[in-house]
Amino acid sequence: MAKKKNGAKTNAARILDGLGISYELKEYPVDLDDLSAVHVAEMVGMPIEKVFKTLVARGDKTGVLMACIPGDGELDLKELAAVSGNKRVEMVHLNEVLGLTGYVRGGCSPLGAKKTYPVYLDASAETQSKISISAGKRGEQIILAPADLIRAANAAVANLNRHA
């Protein structure tokens, strides 16, 4: 459990606390002109393959789901459809993300969304000792063991990165 300077934890951090999962919070200055995962990786001092971005998609059968892939990766929509029981999956429009998840672009976490959505984690995460995900707001990352994220998010693991 990480301590927060100002005491205000995000839903994602509270979920991890509730499960007794150890993690580190890393805050960084937000650049609204560059919300990319590459920029976040630079700000938190981690290699891009350890900084995972959370993407929100919608399956034709199952509805909304989340996919976590390396920050420099590209989501393989066909693979996500296959592992999630859909024929087709497409990204949700950016203007829908806040309403669906409660999160803004650059601060979307696979934990603590407005509703519990299925989470799919790229298999490359399991090759890392620690990965970074959004804490649920811009300017804050959670660093934790991939197995702990899998447990906390009840995530399924699959090869989701088109470059993998």
Side-chain angles (χ1 to χ4, degrees):
M1 284 169 253
K3 290 190 177 166
K4 187 89 164 88
K5 290 177 199 157
N6 63 9
K9 286 193 174 182
T10 63
N11 287 343
R14 284 192 289 276
I15 287 168
L16 294 173
D17 287 347
L19 293 170
I21 290 175
S22 177
Y23 62 95
E24 178 187 348
L25 285 175
K26 234 183 203 181
E27 294 183 79
Y28 61 92
V30 176
D31 179 353
L32 293 176
D33 293 325
D34 189 356
L35 297 173
S36 71
V38 171
H39 179 72
V40 172
E42 290 170 4
M43 292 288 97
V44 298
M46 291 181 75
I48 189 63
E49 64 272 10
K50 292 183 178 206
V51 176
F52 279 63
K53 58 187 175 185
T54 302
L55 305 172
V56 183
R58 183 178 285 118
D60 62 338
K61 294 181 179 178
T62 63
V64 176
L65 45 93
M66 295 178 153
C68 296
I69 63 170
D72 61 347
E74 185 179 339
L75 181 60
D76 185 333
L77 292 170
K78 286 184 180 179
E79 185 62 26
L80 181 58
V83 300
S84 64
N86 290 283
K87 282 188 178 180
R88 192 173 40 88
V89 170
E90 58 187 33
M91 298 299 297
V92 301
H93 293 285
L94 189 55
N95 61 4
E96 290 182 86
V97 173
L98 178 61
L100 290 170
T101 66
Y103 293 133
V104 296
R105 178 176 176 254
C108 191
S109 179
L111 299 170
K114 281 168 108 172
K115 289 173 118 180
T116 302
Y117 296 115
V119 174
Y120 297 86
L121 178 64
D122 185 65
S124 68
E126 293 185 310
T127 68
Q128 307 294 339
S129 60
K130 299 276 184 187
I131 61 170
S132 174
I133 60 168
S134 174
K137 69 178 191 176
R138 291 174 180 158
E140 192 168 282
Q141 291 282 296
I142 289 175
I143 299 165
L144 76 172
D148 289 334
L149 175 60
I150 291 165
R151 181 167 73 102
N154 195 23
V157 178
N159 292 312
L160 302 176
N161 188 355
R162 191 175 284 170
H163 300 133

